Amino acid sequence: MKPFSFDAQINTTMADGAYQIFQIAQFTMPFYGDMVYVGSIKIQMNAPGIQAPEWIRVHESSTPAPTIKSEAGWRSAGGASFPTSHVPLLASWVGVAAGATVTVNASINNGTGGISIGVYNAPGIMYCFKT
Amino acid sequence: MPADVTVSGLHLAQSLPLMKPFFISRSINLVIPGSGAGNDFVIGSFTMPFYGDIVFQGMLGIRTNAAGLQAPNPIKVSTNSVPAPTTNPSATWRTEAGTGYAEAPTPVIASWVGVAAGTGVTIRGNVTNGTTAIAITIVSATGIAFCTKT
């Protein structure tokens, strides 16, 4: 087993209702095998109120495409604050060729509550298993 | 497991990998009433491929069913999992007192030591809701169980 760690710096603003895909990791698969990714992505609302980004996940445009991926939703309850959260990202791949260039993308669909969100860093670890 | 091979009359036995992951993802949609109610539910199951240890890294999608303050605590892998976990640290989550309901994924982790080959492992979650009257829904569970041959 070989792990690779990442901390992609995204630092962008997503407008209300926007949908965006971000690259969060890239490496070369060292041997034929399976992979699992355990990470998170930091999101902050840019104004008080109700906003619901979803689904926050590893995206199918990753190369190769993931076999399974998590889908997480995050919704603020309103109030007078600017909530922030690290939302987990999980995914797995089966039967990846040795030498393959692996690119992991994540996607977020911002809600429609009228609030933009900031998307910051995406730390994570890719575990590669020889099979 | 890869098949054994024979090269020039020499039989080479392939061995199992030292570590095997199982990816678990399921919808739960379980409602837990407010006022401190608790509940236990299945996150996922698999068969242990060899004797060894397990660590689980996952998350539970949780949302409140109405606006207002609520603080589910603890949120953890259940001691009713089979086999019972060796460690199962707890997490918590507290919503704002806003005008809408709230939703967040909460990490859950656990470990098991010395699990027999062939054991049917069932990982269960356990959540105790807060003491206000607001119900919560356990929306989904996603995670990876890393099995290590020891």
Side-chain angles (χ1 to χ4, degrees), chain B residues 31-92:
Chain B
V31 176
I32 301 177
S35 305
N39 215 320
D40 211 281
F41 48 88
V42 173
I43 291 176
S45 58
F46 62 92
T47 301
M48 187 67 175
F50 38 64
Y51 178 88
D53 302 341
I54 304 169
V55 292
F56 178 74
Q57 290 181 278
M59 64 173 173
L60 300 176
I62 303 175
R63 72 177 175 90
T64 51
N65 291 354
L69 283 173
Q70 183 60 296
N73 184 14
I75 300 162
K76 59 183 180 177
V77 169
S78 173
T79 52
N80 292 326
S81 301
V82 180
T86 307
T87 62
N88 62 331
S90 62
T92 187

Side-chain angles (χ1 to χ4, degrees), chain A residues 47-131:
Chain A
I50 296 173
Q51 187 73 358
E54 63 183 10
W55 297 100
I56 302 157
R57 60 194 171 102
V58 171
H59 194 256
E60 56 267 25
S61 66
S62 302
T63 51
T67 308
I68 314 175
K69 56 191 184 299
S70 63
E71 292 193 335
W74 176 52
R75 188 181 196 274
S76 71
S81 62
F82 297 65
T84 304
S85 187
H86 263 278
V87 177
L89 295 171
L90 302 168
S92 75
W93 291 255
V94 174
V96 180
T101 298
V102 177
T103 302
V104 183
N105 296 330
S107 66
I108 298 175
N109 191 3
N110 197 5
T112 54
I115 301 172
S116 67
I117 59 172
V119 182
Y120 297 97
N121 65 316
I125 300 171
M126 181 71 88
Y127 298 92
C128 302
F129 299 89
K130 206 170 188 176
T131 57

Side-chain angles (χ1 to χ4, degrees), chain B:
Chain B
M1 178 178 174
D4 291 0
V5 296
T6 300
V7 179
S8 300
L10 180 64
H11 184 79
L12 304 173
Q14 301 283 344
S15 63
L16 283 167
L18 292 175
M19 184 179 277
K20 181 171 175 59
F22 290 93
F23 198 101
I24 292 165
S25 183
R26 69 163 51 188
S27 294
I28 295 178
N29 295 319
L30 169 69
V31 176
I32 301 177
S35 305
N39 215 320
D40 211 281
F41 48 88
V42 173
I43 291 176
S45 58
F46 62 92
T47 301
M48 187 67 175
F50 38 64
Y51 178 88
D53 302 341
I54 304 169
V55 292
F56 178 74
Q57 290 181 278
M59 64 173 173
L60 300 176
I62 303 175
R63 72 177 175 90
T64 51
N65 291 354
L69 283 173
Q70 183 60 296
N73 184 14
I75 300 162
K76 59 183 180 177
V77 169
S78 173
T79 52
N80 292 326
S81 301
V82 180
T86 307
T87 62
N88 62 331
S90 62
T92 187
W93 173 56
R94 187 179 195 273
T95 66
E96 304 168 79
T99 54
Y101 68 85
E103 179 175 351
T106 301
V108 284
I109 61 175
S111 70
W112 290 257
V113 173
V115 180
T119 299
V121 177
T122 299
I123 301 174
R124 301 180 66 90
N126 184 279
V127 176
T128 298
N129 201 359
T131 55
T132 74
I134 298 172
I136 60 172
T137 297
I138 309 300
V139 180
S140 61
T142 307
I144 302 163
F146 296 90
C147 302
T148 306
K149 199 172 188 179
T150 56

